[in-house]
Amino acid sequence: MSERRPVMAANWKMHHDHLAAIQAIQKLSYLLDVNDYDACDIVVCPPFTDIRPLQNLIEGDNIPLLLGAQNCHWEDNGAFTGEVAAPMLAKLNVSYVIVGHSERRQLFGETDEWVNKKARAVLKHGMSPIVCVGETLEERERGDTDDRVSSQTRAAFAGIKASEAERCVVAYEPIWAIGTGHNATPEDVNETVGAIRRVLKDLCGAVAMEMRIQYGGSVKPGNIAQLMAMPEIDGALVGGASLDPDDFARIVRYRG
Ligand code: 13P
């Protein structure tokens, strides 16, 4: 098990309008207690339209959940129809922003260069990026997993200082494991996360040992404990199972 503080993040993707979001967070906050918040950072990344109502709920009721966003633009403002800027998120007390999720890379053409610009914008506005990396099934079958995640990590962290890198989280999400019910074995994940950490060490030095690296891809209440038992894995980025407050609370409470 890692000695770093785990970060358990819910990526709701394009689910839950703001009313459903409020209900889900009320239920989640009822299920979690002070020991859970003491043990890890618990982050919820809802769609943009939910962020303001959830900020009101969380701050009004003193719920120690952290807010995250699923994406942002790298410019502070401008003629970018449909985009949301990092300072807009910072204004809503968003703490984390997911950048370079594989769905954005695959479905919306997000490049390594954009991921880097977004990560830097998030840092510039005092938030922490959750930088997603991961290989396709073909890359894995060709034995290219480490090369793929290494090059994504190098590109994402280009020009980021060690003092800033410390705040960053990396999410290793093998694409073939997302939403499929198939996940990598904890040992395989541990090995790949170790490879990512070696790249971070090369880029940022000793600070890499403090950085949290999560696993994402079909994380469920039934497999989280085995994943978290691995020394390199510092948390999870949870999609489908995070939509159900009971399941997400069980994942957060993986220690039993
Ligand atoms: P699932 O947990 O639904 O596989 O999604 C993982 C993911 O993409 C989290 O960002």
Side-chain angles (χ1 to χ4, degrees):
M1 209 162 105
S2 139
E3 289 185 356
R4 292 168 287 267
R5 180 176 169 80
V7 51
M8 299 304 220
N11 175 9
W12 284 357
K13 308 190 180 183
M14 200 172 71
H15 295 284
H16 287 344
D17 63 29
H18 77 283
L19 296 173
I22 289 168
Q23 270 195 325
I25 293 304
Q26 278 171 333
K27 182 157 187 206
L28 182 65
S29 69
Y30 180 77
L31 293 167
L32 298 177
D33 64 30
V34 64
N35 296 320
D36 302 315
Y37 297 111
D38 277 353
C40 55
D41 288 351
I42 308 172
V43 186
V44 177
C45 307
F48 288 130
T49 52
D50 299 353
I51 293 178
R52 177 61 168 168
L54 290 188
Q55 180 204 13
N56 288 338
L57 172 65
I58 286 169
E59 292 179 6
D61 287 357
N62 284 322
I63 302 169
L65 284 170
L66 300 167
L67 269 178
Q70 299 173 17
N71 184 28
C72 71
H73 197 272
W74 56 84
E75 292 290 346
D76 286 358
N77 50 55
F80 299 104
T81 302
E83 293 291 314
V84 172
M88 297 172 181
L89 299 172
K91 260 262 166 22
L92 297 169
N93 289 346
V94 165
S95 306
Y96 289 90
V97 183
I98 298 172
V99 298
H101 191 280
S102 61
E103 285 150 15
R104 296 219 55 87
R105 292 179 192 256
Q106 292 200 309
L107 306 173
F108 302 100
E110 211 154 280
T111 64
D112 278 344
E113 191 197 340
W114 292 10
V115 175
N116 174 249
K117 287 182 178 180
K118 290 179 183 205
R120 292 162 70 157
V122 169
L123 287 164
K124 176 179 158 199
H125 292 282
M127 302 175 289
S128 296
I130 298 178
V131 176
C132 300
V133 299
E135 81 287 3
T136 62
L137 187 57
E138 287 140 49
E139 287 163 342
R140 184 177 194 84
E141 285 171 348
R142 280 205 306 268
D144 287 346
T145 299
D146 284 7
D147 282 354
R148 186 78 191 109
V149 298
S150 297
S151 79
Q152 287 175 325
T153 305
R154 280 186 191 283
F157 282 86
I160 293 179
K161 295 195 286 274
S163 57
E164 293 176 321
E166 199 170 1
R167 276 195 278 137
C168 299
V169 173
V170 176
Y172 167 52
E173 299 205 311
I175 293 168
W176 50 272
I178 295 177
T180 57
H182 302 297
N183 57 2
T185 66
E187 290 76 14
D188 281 353
V189 174
N190 194 60
E191 217 176 289
T192 306
V193 171
I196 295 169
R197 198 178 301 285
R198 282 193 295 281
V199 173
L200 291 171
K201 207 166 168 196
D202 188 31
L203 292 172
C204 315
V207 95
M209 300 314 291
E210 314 299 322
M211 292 172 67
R212 276 95 51 90
I213 307 180
Q214 304 172 300
Y215 168 74
S218 299
V219 172
K220 308 280 178 228
N223 59 25
I224 184 68
Q226 296 94 296
L227 289 159
M228 292 303 291
M230 295 289 131
E232 290 287 358
I233 305 174
D234 307 317
L237 184 56
V238 188
S242 74
L243 294 172
D244 178 344
D246 280 307
D247 279 352
F248 189 57
R250 284 166 65 205
I251 289 169
V252 168
R253 292 191 157 160
Y254 64 92
R255 290 178 183 83

